[in-house]
Amino acid sequence: MNLYPLKFNPILKERLWGGSKLGDIFGKPIENDITGESWELSTVKGDISVVANGALAGSSLQDLIDTNAEALLGKSVVERFGKEFPILIKFIDAKQDLSIQLHPNDQLAKERHNSFGKTEMWYIMDADKDASLIVGFNKTVTKEEYQKSIENDTLIDLMNYEKVKEGDTFFINTGKIHAIGAGVVLAEIQQTSDVTYRVFDFNRKDKDGNYRELHTDLALDAMDYEKKDDFIVAYDKHKNVVNEMVNCPYFKTNYINLNDSLSQDVTQRDSFTIYMCVGGSATISNDLGTAKVKKGETVLLPANSKNITIETTDVTLLEVTI
Protein backbone atom coordinates (compact mmCIF):
# COMPACT_ATOMS: atom_id res chain seq x y z
CA MET A 1 0.00 0.00 0.00
CA ASN A 2 1.19 3.51 -0.86
CA LEU A 3 1.73 4.96 2.62
CA TYR A 4 2.37 8.62 1.87
CA PRO A 5 2.29 11.33 4.61
CA LEU A 6 -1.20 11.08 6.10
CA LYS A 7 -3.39 13.84 7.46
CA PHE A 8 -6.59 13.13 9.37
CA ASN A 9 -9.90 14.87 9.98
CA PRO A 10 -9.91 16.48 13.43
CA ILE A 11 -12.23 14.93 16.02
CA LEU A 12 -13.67 17.94 17.83
CA LYS A 13 -14.83 17.68 21.43
CA GLU A 14 -17.23 19.96 23.27
CA ARG A 15 -16.09 20.58 26.82
CA LEU A 16 -17.58 22.54 29.70
CA TRP A 17 -14.33 24.51 29.86
CA GLY A 18 -13.75 24.88 26.09
CA GLY A 19 -13.71 28.00 23.92
CA SER A 20 -13.40 29.12 20.31
CA LYS A 21 -9.63 29.41 19.81
CA LEU A 22 -9.27 26.09 17.99
CA GLY A 23 -11.31 27.75 15.27
CA ASP A 24 -10.02 31.30 15.70
CA ILE A 25 -6.30 30.40 15.75
CA PHE A 26 -6.10 27.15 13.79
CA GLY A 27 -9.15 27.27 11.55
CA LYS A 28 -10.65 24.07 12.92
CA PRO A 29 -14.28 23.59 11.79
CA ILE A 30 -15.77 24.15 15.25
CA GLU A 31 -19.52 24.51 15.58
CA ASN A 32 -19.73 26.23 18.98
CA ASP A 33 -17.73 28.26 21.47
CA ILE A 34 -17.24 25.43 23.97
CA THR A 35 -14.90 23.36 21.80
CA GLY A 36 -12.13 22.21 24.11
CA GLU A 37 -10.21 19.57 22.18
CA SER A 38 -9.20 18.60 18.67
CA TRP A 39 -8.12 14.97 18.59
CA GLU A 40 -5.62 14.80 15.74
CA LEU A 41 -4.56 11.15 15.87
CA SER A 42 -6.65 8.64 17.76
CA THR A 43 -7.66 5.01 17.85
CA VAL A 44 -9.63 5.37 21.09
CA LYS A 45 -12.80 3.31 20.72
CA GLY A 46 -15.55 5.50 19.28
CA ASP A 47 -13.06 8.19 18.25
CA ILE A 48 -10.97 6.69 15.48
CA SER A 49 -9.21 9.09 13.11
CA VAL A 50 -10.10 9.09 9.41
CA VAL A 51 -7.66 9.99 6.63
CA ALA A 52 -8.36 13.39 5.05
CA ASN A 53 -5.84 13.53 2.17
CA GLY A 54 -4.86 11.55 -0.92
CA ALA A 55 -5.91 8.17 -2.26
CA LEU A 56 -6.60 6.76 1.22
CA ALA A 57 -9.03 9.54 2.19
CA GLY A 58 -11.94 8.03 4.10
CA SER A 59 -9.91 5.12 5.49
CA SER A 60 -9.72 4.82 9.25
CA LEU A 61 -6.40 4.79 11.04
CA GLN A 62 -7.31 1.50 12.69
CA ASP A 63 -8.06 -0.14 9.34
CA LEU A 64 -4.69 0.98 7.99
CA ILE A 65 -2.98 -0.46 11.05
CA ASP A 66 -4.90 -3.74 10.82
CA THR A 67 -3.78 -4.25 7.21
CA ASN A 68 -0.30 -2.66 7.30
CA ALA A 69 0.83 -2.85 10.93
CA GLU A 70 4.60 -3.16 10.55
CA ALA A 71 4.81 -0.84 7.54
CA LEU A 72 2.84 1.85 9.32
CA LEU A 73 3.85 1.45 12.96
CA GLY A 74 7.25 -0.26 12.81
CA LYS A 75 8.20 -3.79 13.82
CA SER A 76 9.38 -2.84 17.32
CA VAL A 77 6.18 -0.86 17.95
CA VAL A 78 4.02 -3.83 16.89
CA GLU A 79 6.03 -6.10 19.19
CA ARG A 80 5.23 -3.79 22.14
CA PHE A 81 1.70 -2.69 21.39
CA GLY A 82 0.29 -5.08 18.81
CA LYS A 83 -2.13 -3.42 16.42
CA GLU A 84 -2.92 -0.59 18.81
CA PHE A 85 -1.79 2.94 18.04
CA PRO A 86 0.09 3.85 21.23
CA ILE A 87 -0.16 7.65 21.01
CA LEU A 88 -3.06 10.09 21.27
CA ILE A 89 -2.41 13.56 19.82
CA LYS A 90 -4.53 16.61 20.71
CA PHE A 91 -4.75 20.37 20.59
CA ILE A 92 -6.52 21.83 23.63
CA ASP A 93 -8.19 25.21 24.22
CA ALA A 94 -8.99 25.99 27.85
CA LYS A 95 -11.27 29.02 28.09
CA GLN A 96 -11.92 28.03 31.70
CA ASP A 97 -9.83 26.03 34.14
CA LEU A 98 -9.95 22.29 33.57
CA SER A 99 -10.79 20.08 36.51
CA ILE A 100 -7.97 19.11 38.86
CA GLN A 101 -7.19 15.52 37.93
CA LEU A 102 -4.64 12.76 37.58
CA HIS A 103 -4.14 9.60 35.56
CA PRO A 104 -3.30 6.06 36.72
CA ASN A 105 -0.16 4.20 35.70
CA ASP A 106 -0.15 1.25 33.31
CA GLN A 107 -0.64 -1.36 36.03
CA LEU A 108 -3.65 0.30 37.67
CA ALA A 109 -5.18 1.28 34.33
CA LYS A 110 -4.88 -2.31 33.11
CA GLU A 111 -6.38 -3.77 36.28
CA ARG A 112 -9.26 -1.32 36.54
CA HIS A 113 -10.04 -0.27 32.97
CA ASN A 114 -8.18 -2.67 30.63
CA SER A 115 -6.40 0.42 29.31
CA PHE A 116 -2.96 1.95 29.08
CA GLY A 117 -2.00 4.49 31.69
CA LYS A 118 -1.63 8.11 30.68
CA THR A 119 1.78 9.73 30.68
CA GLU A 120 1.58 13.00 28.77
CA MET A 121 3.41 16.18 27.79
CA TRP A 122 2.21 19.70 27.01
CA TYR A 123 3.67 22.33 24.70
CA ILE A 124 2.20 25.79 25.25
CA MET A 125 1.13 27.35 21.94
CA ASP A 126 -0.74 30.39 23.20
CA ALA A 127 -1.38 31.84 26.65
CA ASP A 128 -3.22 34.86 28.00
CA LYS A 129 -1.31 37.18 30.30
CA ASP A 130 -0.86 35.54 33.74
CA ALA A 131 -2.32 32.22 32.52
CA SER A 132 -1.07 29.25 34.52
CA LEU A 133 -1.13 25.51 34.97
CA ILE A 134 -1.49 23.41 38.08
CA VAL A 135 1.27 20.80 38.23
CA GLY A 136 1.74 18.81 41.41
CA PHE A 137 1.53 19.79 45.06
CA ASN A 138 3.28 22.83 46.55
CA LYS A 139 4.56 20.60 49.37
CA THR A 140 4.70 16.89 50.10
CA VAL A 141 1.42 15.82 51.67
CA THR A 142 0.11 12.68 53.29
CA LYS A 143 -2.90 10.82 51.99
CA GLU A 144 -4.74 11.95 55.13
CA GLU A 145 -3.88 15.63 54.51
CA TYR A 146 -5.08 15.30 50.95
CA GLN A 147 -8.35 13.66 52.03
CA LYS A 148 -8.92 16.41 54.60
CA SER A 149 -8.44 19.07 51.90
CA ILE A 150 -11.08 17.37 49.77
CA GLU A 151 -13.50 17.24 52.70
CA ASN A 152 -12.86 20.89 53.60
CA ASP A 153 -12.90 22.16 49.99
CA THR A 154 -9.35 23.51 50.38
CA LEU A 155 -7.51 21.40 47.78
CA ILE A 156 -6.45 24.44 45.75
CA ASP A 157 -4.40 25.63 48.75
CA LEU A 158 -2.13 22.60 48.23
CA MET A 159 -1.66 23.08 44.48
CA ASN A 160 1.49 24.27 42.70
CA TYR A 161 0.76 26.97 40.10
CA GLU A 162 3.09 27.62 37.16
CA LYS A 163 2.70 30.72 34.99
CA VAL A 164 3.21 29.88 31.32
CA LYS A 165 4.09 31.43 27.98
CA GLU A 166 4.42 30.15 24.42
CA GLY A 167 7.09 27.46 24.10
CA ASP A 168 6.97 26.30 27.73
CA THR A 169 6.86 22.51 27.92
CA PHE A 170 5.74 20.21 30.72
CA PHE A 171 6.02 16.45 31.26
CA ILE A 172 3.22 14.94 33.36
CA ASN A 173 3.97 11.58 34.93
CA THR A 174 1.14 9.25 35.87
CA GLY A 175 -0.08 9.98 39.38
CA LYS A 176 0.79 13.68 39.25
CA ILE A 177 -2.15 15.92 40.08
CA HIS A 178 -2.62 18.65 37.46
CA ALA A 179 -4.93 21.00 35.59
CA ILE A 180 -4.71 23.24 32.53
CA GLY A 181 -5.58 26.81 33.46
CA ALA A 182 -7.91 29.25 31.73
CA GLY A 183 -6.44 31.09 28.75
CA VAL A 184 -4.06 28.32 27.67
CA VAL A 185 -3.90 26.67 24.24
CA LEU A 186 -1.54 23.72 24.01
CA ALA A 187 -0.42 20.68 22.07
CA GLU A 188 -0.74 17.44 24.03
CA ILE A 189 1.09 14.19 23.37
CA GLN A 190 0.03 11.23 25.50
CA GLN A 191 -0.31 7.51 25.74
CA THR A 192 -3.47 6.23 24.10
CA SER A 193 -5.81 6.37 27.07
CA ASP A 194 -8.91 8.28 28.03
CA VAL A 195 -8.76 7.33 31.71
CA THR A 196 -8.94 10.39 33.95
CA TYR A 197 -9.59 10.66 37.68
CA ARG A 198 -11.25 14.01 38.34
CA VAL A 199 -10.86 15.09 41.96
CA PHE A 200 -12.02 18.74 42.00
CA ASP A 201 -14.06 20.69 39.44
CA PHE A 202 -14.29 24.12 41.07
CA ASN A 203 -17.87 23.33 42.10
CA ARG A 204 -19.10 23.94 38.54
CA LYS A 205 -22.29 22.65 37.03
CA ASP A 206 -22.76 21.52 33.45
CA LYS A 207 -25.35 22.92 31.02
CA ASP A 208 -28.01 20.73 32.63
CA GLY A 209 -27.26 22.03 36.10
CA ASN A 210 -25.42 18.91 37.26
CA TYR A 211 -22.04 18.53 38.91
CA ARG A 212 -19.62 16.38 36.92
CA GLU A 213 -18.62 13.03 38.38
CA LEU A 214 -15.63 12.99 40.70
CA HIS A 215 -13.37 9.97 41.17
CA THR A 216 -12.26 10.61 44.73
CA ASP A 217 -11.82 7.00 45.81
CA LEU A 218 -10.18 5.79 42.60
CA ALA A 219 -7.63 8.60 42.82
CA LEU A 220 -6.37 7.77 46.30
CA ASP A 221 -4.16 4.84 45.34
CA ALA A 222 -3.17 6.35 41.98
CA MET A 223 -1.82 9.64 43.30
CA ASP A 224 1.78 10.72 43.90
CA TYR A 225 1.65 12.80 47.11
CA GLU A 226 5.27 13.97 46.94
CA LYS A 227 6.30 17.44 45.83
CA LYS A 228 8.56 16.83 42.83
CA ASP A 229 10.10 19.43 40.54
CA ASP A 230 10.38 17.00 37.64
CA PHE A 231 7.86 18.43 35.23
CA ILE A 232 9.47 21.42 33.46
CA VAL A 233 11.14 20.34 30.22
CA ALA A 234 14.34 22.24 29.42
CA TYR A 235 15.33 21.95 25.78
CA ASP A 236 17.48 23.64 23.16
CA LYS A 237 15.92 25.69 20.37
CA HIS A 238 18.77 25.63 17.85
CA LYS A 239 17.57 26.43 14.33
CA ASN A 240 17.60 23.95 11.45
CA VAL A 241 18.52 20.95 13.61
CA VAL A 242 16.61 18.39 15.66
CA ASN A 243 16.50 19.27 19.39
CA GLU A 244 15.50 16.59 21.90
CA MET A 245 12.71 17.53 24.29
CA VAL A 246 11.35 14.35 25.90
CA ASN A 247 12.61 10.77 25.76
CA CYS A 248 10.44 8.45 27.84
CA PRO A 249 9.33 4.82 27.42
CA TYR A 250 6.07 5.86 25.76
CA PHE A 251 7.16 8.50 23.25
CA LYS A 252 10.08 10.63 22.12
CA THR A 253 9.52 14.25 21.19
CA ASN A 254 11.88 16.63 19.40
CA TYR A 255 11.66 20.37 18.74
CA ILE A 256 12.43 21.49 15.20
CA ASN A 257 12.50 25.17 14.19
CA LEU A 258 13.40 25.69 10.54
CA ASN A 259 13.91 28.54 8.11
CA ASP A 260 15.40 26.20 5.52
CA SER A 261 14.85 22.67 4.27
CA LEU A 262 15.78 19.64 6.38
CA SER A 263 16.24 16.05 5.20
CA GLN A 264 16.53 13.03 7.47
CA ASP A 265 17.47 9.43 6.70
CA VAL A 266 15.03 7.50 8.90
CA THR A 267 15.73 4.01 7.56
CA GLN A 268 16.77 2.76 11.01
CA ARG A 269 14.03 4.52 12.99
CA ASP A 270 11.60 1.54 13.08
CA SER A 271 8.76 3.80 14.22
CA PHE A 272 6.13 5.99 12.67
CA THR A 273 6.86 9.73 12.81
CA ILE A 274 4.31 12.38 13.76
CA TYR A 275 4.75 16.08 13.09
CA MET A 276 2.60 18.54 15.01
CA CYS A 277 2.88 21.97 13.44
CA VAL A 278 2.98 24.53 16.26
CA GLY A 279 4.06 27.50 14.14
CA GLY A 280 4.40 28.50 10.48
CA SER A 281 3.91 26.02 7.65
CA ALA A 282 5.81 23.40 5.66
CA THR A 283 5.64 20.71 3.02
CA ILE A 284 6.63 17.32 4.44
CA SER A 285 7.58 14.45 2.13
CA ASN A 286 8.57 10.81 2.27
CA ASP A 287 9.46 8.47 -0.57
CA LEU A 288 5.82 8.14 -1.69
CA GLY A 289 4.26 11.56 -1.39
CA THR A 290 3.91 14.93 0.28
CA ALA A 291 1.57 16.77 2.62
CA LYS A 292 1.32 20.44 3.51
CA VAL A 293 0.87 21.41 7.15
CA LYS A 294 0.25 24.71 8.89
CA LYS A 295 -0.02 25.76 12.52
CA GLY A 296 -2.55 23.54 14.28
CA GLU A 297 -2.24 20.61 11.87
CA THR A 298 -0.69 17.16 12.24
CA VAL A 299 0.77 14.66 9.79
CA LEU A 300 1.69 10.98 10.24
CA LEU A 301 4.53 9.39 8.28
CA PRO A 302 4.70 5.57 8.22
CA ALA A 303 7.57 3.58 9.67
CA ASN A 304 8.61 2.29 6.27
CA SER A 305 9.58 5.81 5.16
CA LYS A 306 13.25 5.86 4.18
CA ASN A 307 13.74 9.60 3.98
CA ILE A 308 11.76 12.53 5.35
CA THR A 309 12.17 15.99 3.87
CA ILE A 310 10.72 19.18 5.34
CA GLU A 311 10.61 22.17 3.00
CA THR A 312 9.87 25.57 4.51
CA THR A 313 10.91 29.14 5.04
CA ASP A 314 9.49 29.24 8.57
CA VAL A 315 8.06 26.38 10.61
CA THR A 316 8.12 25.02 14.15
CA LEU A 317 7.35 21.33 14.57
CA LEU A 318 7.08 18.79 17.34
CA GLU A 319 8.45 15.50 16.00
CA VAL A 320 7.05 12.48 17.83
CA THR A 321 8.23 8.86 17.56
CA ILE A 322 8.26 5.75 19.73
Side-chain angles (χ1 to χ4, degrees):
M1 184 174 286
N2 181 356
L3 292 173
Y4 52 89
L6 299 167
K7 295 174 69 176
F8 294 83
N9 298 314
I11 300 170
L12 300 171
K13 298 286 189 177
E14 292 184 15
R15 296 292 188 247
L16 178 67
W17 41 262
S20 62
K21 288 182 179 178
L22 295 178
D24 298 341
I25 298 176
F26 304 145
K28 300 290 183 187
I30 66 173
E31 297 181 352
N32 55 61
D33 60 1
I34 55 166
T35 304
E37 302 183 9
S38 176
W39 289 22
E40 299 289 297
L41 276 174
S42 168
T43 55
V44 174
K45 187 176 180 180
D47 289 299
I48 297 177
S49 295
V50 173
V51 178
N53 67 321
L56 295 172
S59 302
S60 80
L61 177 56
Q62 190 62 63
D63 285 345
L64 294 181
I65 293 170
D66 288 342
T67 54
N68 304 270
E70 287 194 7
L72 185 60
L73 301 180
K75 183 178 179 180
S76 64
V77 176
V78 173
E79 287 173 351
R80 286 182 63 190
F81 300 102
K83 292 186 176 182
E84 295 189 60
F85 196 67
I87 299 293
L88 176 56
I89 299 290
K90 302 177 182 177
F91 293 111
I92 293 177
D93 169 26
K95 185 177 182 180
Q96 300 180 39
D97 296 329
L98 272 69
S99 63
I100 298 176
Q101 59 189 244
L102 64 142
H103 309 294
N105 61 27
D106 284 346
Q107 181 178 344
L108 267 181
K110 182 67 174 177
E111 291 173 1
R112 294 176 174 177
H113 313 285
N114 194 30
S115 171
F116 293 123
K118 187 176 173 183
T119 298
E120 60 190 318
M121 67 166 282
W122 299 331
Y123 175 90
I124 308 302
M125 296 180 67
D126 187 78
D128 293 349
K129 184 180 179 182
D130 295 327
S132 63
L133 308 174
I134 289 173
V135 192
F137 291 101
N138 58 29
K139 65 176 183 177
T140 295
V141 300
T142 64
K143 183 185 290 189
E144 290 71 30
E145 286 176 306
Y146 164 75
Q147 289 177 294
K148 187 175 180 180
S149 77
I150 293 292
E151 293 167 5
N152 296 338
D153 204 17
T154 57
L155 178 63
I156 58 173
D157 294 338
L158 298 177
M159 296 294 92
N160 173 57
Y161 285 81
E162 296 282 338
K163 286 189 177 182
V164 295
K165 63 183 183 306
E166 182 181 351
D168 289 347
T169 302
F170 297 83
F171 183 75
I172 312 297
N173 284 307
T174 55
K176 188 180 294 295
I177 198 166
H178 62 272
I180 301 170
V184 174
V185 177
L186 57 78
E188 180 176 276
I189 300 157
Q190 59 159 95
Q191 291 175 267
T192 290
S193 172
D194 204 26
V195 179
T196 294
Y197 294 161
R198 186 185 301 121
V199 298
F200 182 65
D201 200 25
F202 301 95
N203 301 314
R204 289 180 293 201
K205 294 181 180 180
D206 63 20
K207 62 184 179 182
D208 298 318
N210 301 313
Y211 294 111
R212 293 197 294 173
E213 181 183 6
L214 300 179
H215 309 96
T216 308
D217 292 337
L218 286 172
L220 288 175
D221 293 331
M223 187 176 298
D224 185 348
Y225 296 95
E226 286 189 49
K227 180 187 186 312
K228 294 177 180 175
D229 298 323
D230 59 353
F231 48 82
I232 294 176
V233 177
Y235 63 98
D236 293 325
K237 296 183 179 180
H238 301 308
K239 277 191 173 293
N240 300 318
V241 297
V242 177
N243 302 275
E244 183 177 290
M245 301 177 84
V246 168
N247 188 342
C248 76
Y250 306 107
F251 52 82
K252 301 171 185 176
T253 305
N254 298 318
Y255 174 90
I256 304 176
N257 178 233
L258 305 175
N259 58 16
D260 199 358
S261 297
L262 176 71
S263 293
Q264 299 185 76
D265 180 345
V266 294
T267 309
Q268 302 303 314
R269 180 166 283 176
D270 197 24
S271 165
F272 57 85
T273 304
I274 299 165
Y275 290 104
M276 301 185 77
C277 186
V278 295
S281 61
T283 299
I284 300 177
S285 308
N286 69 356
D287 319 273
L288 297 173
T290 66
K292 293 183 178 180
V293 292
K294 60 181 176 61
K295 185 176 182 179
E297 293 185 337
T298 302
V299 62
L300 171 66
L301 286 94
N304 67 355
S305 299
K306 296 179 175 61
N307 293 281
I308 296 174
T309 300
I310 304 167
E311 296 176 304
T312 186
T313 57
D314 178 27
V315 75
T316 303
L317 301 166
L318 304 183
E319 179 185 68
V320 185
T321 62
I322 295 295

